[in-house]
Amino acid sequence: MGGQKRPKYCVFCSDKLEKIVYTDENFIAFHDRKPDAELHLLVIPRTHYGTVKEMTSKELPMVTQMYELGQRLLEERGYTGDMARLGFHRPPFNSIHHLHLHCLGLPFRSRTAAIPFTESPGLGFLPATRLIASLGAAARTDDNAAAIDLDTKPIDPETDLATAILRKKAAPNKLMIDEAVTDDNSVAVISQNTLDKLGLFRGDTVLVKGKKRKDTVLIVIPDEDCEDNKIRLNR
C-alpha cells in the first residue's frame, strides 16, 4: 500500500499498540483502550493514512479490505447483523490522525457511549459501507485520484455496484444439515415443501457434494417432521 505523508509522531505508527488481536503485512487490529461497546476493536493500515476526508478512489481496495477484516473479526466473536457496527469518524471528531475503523460489537456500554457512533449527515460517524460506496462512485470517474464528497446524498450499499462484493450472496436452495433419525446411509430426508420447491419427487436421486471432493448419491425421502430449511443425513 502506498500510504500518505506521515507526521513527526503517530501513536498508531509506533510500537506502543497493545491488546492486538490480529496482524498481517497490511493491517493491525486491536482492542480500543476506552471501549464504548461490549466489544470495541480498531482496524488500522500499517502504512500511514490520514482521515476519511483524505481518501481518494485509489484507496477503495484498502478500505474494502479493512471492512472485510473488521466484519470477520466481529463475526468470529459472535457479533453479526444489528449487533455489529463498523465505521469511521470524520474530522474533527477523530481522536488520532491515522485512519482507523471502529468495529463495535453491541450493545453499547451506555446511551452516552452510543452518541459518537450514530450516523448524522455531514457530522461525526460515517458507516464503512457508505465510505466504500462513495469511493466506488469516485472510482467510476476513471480518475484514480478522484476526491470524494462525503456530504453528497448517500449511496445505497445494497444496490450500488461498488459494494456488491460486501453483500451476502443469496442462497435460496441452501439447506442446513441435521442428524438423521435412522441408520440408513442411502437416503436424504427433507420436508415435502422443500421437495416441491426443488421440483423433486419421492425416490429421486440427488448428488451430495461433501468435503475433499467426495460425492455421494442419495435417495430423497420426504418427511413432514423435517423443517423446510434442513436436510437430514447420516454424516
Side-chain angles (χ1 to χ4, degrees):
M1 295 187 295
Q4 297 172 344
K5 185 177 180 180
R6 177 177 170 178
K8 290 184 178 179
Y9 177 76
C10 171
V11 64
F12 283 175
C13 291
S14 71
D15 57 358
K16 296 182 179 181
L17 298 179
E18 300 176 350
K19 297 182 179 179
I20 295 174
V21 298
Y22 177 89
T23 180
D24 63 24
E25 61 181 1
N26 294 318
F27 304 105
I28 304 174
F30 52 95
H31 287 275
D32 193 294
R33 290 194 302 170
K34 297 180 179 179
D36 290 294
E38 190 171 79
L39 177 66
H40 190 166
L41 303 176
L42 299 179
V43 174
I44 65 170
R46 284 183 176 274
T47 305
H48 186 86
Y49 286 86
T51 70
V52 293
K53 284 198 172 182
E54 298 170 54
M55 296 294 99
T56 65
S57 57
K58 65 182 180 180
E59 275 80 58
L60 175 59
M62 179 197 67
V63 175
T64 301
Q65 291 171 28
M66 289 178 68
Y67 173 81
E68 291 174 339
L69 173 57
Q71 188 177 50
R72 189 176 83 240
L73 292 174
L74 290 179
E75 288 179 350
E76 290 174 351
R77 289 158 177 78
Y79 298 95
T80 59
D82 293 338
M83 302 301 291
R85 189 170 301 183
L86 299 97
F88 304 87
H89 281 125
R90 312 177 191 221
F93 301 97
N94 60 305
S95 57
I96 296 175
H97 195 82
H98 183 127
L99 189 69
H100 54 283
L101 172 66
H102 291 272
C103 307
L104 301 152
L106 305 186
F108 286 103
R109 295 199 166 194
S110 67
R111 291 184 179 180
T112 303
I115 295 175
F117 302 97
T118 302
E119 183 181 8
S120 179
L123 297 173
F125 190 67
L126 180 69
T129 51
R130 181 174 169 187
L131 174 60
I132 291 170
S134 298
L135 291 171
R140 289 193 290 274
T141 65
D142 296 326
D143 180 355
N144 289 333
I148 59 172
D149 183 359
L150 298 176
D151 295 320
T152 57
K153 184 179 179 180
I155 299 169
D156 184 1
E158 293 302 316
T159 58
D160 186 68
L161 294 177
T163 55
I165 191 174
L166 306 179
R167 297 194 289 272
K168 300 293 184 182
K169 304 299 185 292
N173 296 333
K174 184 176 182 180
L175 300 175
M176 295 179 61
I177 297 177
D178 200 3
E179 291 294 338
V181 295
T182 69
D183 295 329
D184 192 343
N185 294 325
S186 66
V187 300
V189 178
I190 57 178
S191 70
Q192 184 64 51
N193 288 337
T194 302
L195 197 73
D196 296 339
K197 181 180 178 181
L198 297 177
L200 298 172
F201 296 93
R202 183 187 186 94
D204 279 354
T205 57
V206 294
L207 181 66
V208 177
K209 292 184 174 293
K211 294 180 179 179
K212 299 181 180 179
R213 300 181 180 178
K214 182 179 179 180
D215 297 343
T216 306
V217 177
L218 300 175
I219 300 172
V220 178
I221 302 294
D223 186 340
E224 289 302 335
D225 291 333
C226 184
E227 298 179 38
D228 289 345
N229 66 333
K230 293 185 178 181
I231 180 170
R232 290 178 181 169
L233 302 172
N234 273 315
R235 305 195 185 200

